[in-house]
């Protein structure tokens, strides 16, 4: 039988220099509205998956997608984000 040994020192040894830099944190902060809009759109799509779609649901999904596009446009206009 082989014993499994944890390597706590090896796993946590690099933690201090794996922290995000101030520039990376600023980039995440700048993208926060886009991330929130994408999560909201995903929540809307998931909520509409288990039932027949009606006119109100279509509008709800369209508005959520429009918010994502608006957040992307706003972020792209700041010049701090590149589309993937």
């Amino acid at each position: 039988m082989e014993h499994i040994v944890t390597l706590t020192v090896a796993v946590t040894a690099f933690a201090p220099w794996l922290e995000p830099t101030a520039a990376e944190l600023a980039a995440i902060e700048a993208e926060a509205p886009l991330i929130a809009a994408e999560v909201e759109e995903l929540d809307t799509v998931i909520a509409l998956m288990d039932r027949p779609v009606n006119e109100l649901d279509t509008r709800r999904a369209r508005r959520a997608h429009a918010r994502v596009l608006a957040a992307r446009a706003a972020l792209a206009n700041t010049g701090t984000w590149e589309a993937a």
Side-chain angles (χ1 to χ4, degrees):
M1 173 164 50
E2 292 184 33
H3 296 283
I4 298 174
V5 180
T6 60
L7 300 174
T8 308
V9 175
V11 172
T12 59
F14 300 106
W17 48 104
L18 285 180
E19 294 295 320
T21 64
E24 291 170 333
L25 290 174
I28 293 169
E29 185 69 28
E31 290 181 9
L34 174 60
I35 294 167
E38 288 176 338
V39 168
E40 184 180 341
E41 181 184 27
L42 184 60
D43 286 344
T44 301
V45 171
I46 290 171
L48 300 178
M49 288 178 80
D50 63 345
R51 62 179 185 217
V53 178
N54 58 29
E55 180 68 25
L56 182 62
D57 294 336
T58 303
R59 281 190 245 153
R60 184 177 299 136
R62 196 177 310 129
R63 281 193 310 268
H65 186 66
R67 283 190 289 273
V68 169
L69 293 178
R72 284 184 183 170
L75 192 57
N77 287 335
T78 62
T80 60
W81 180 68
E82 295 179 15

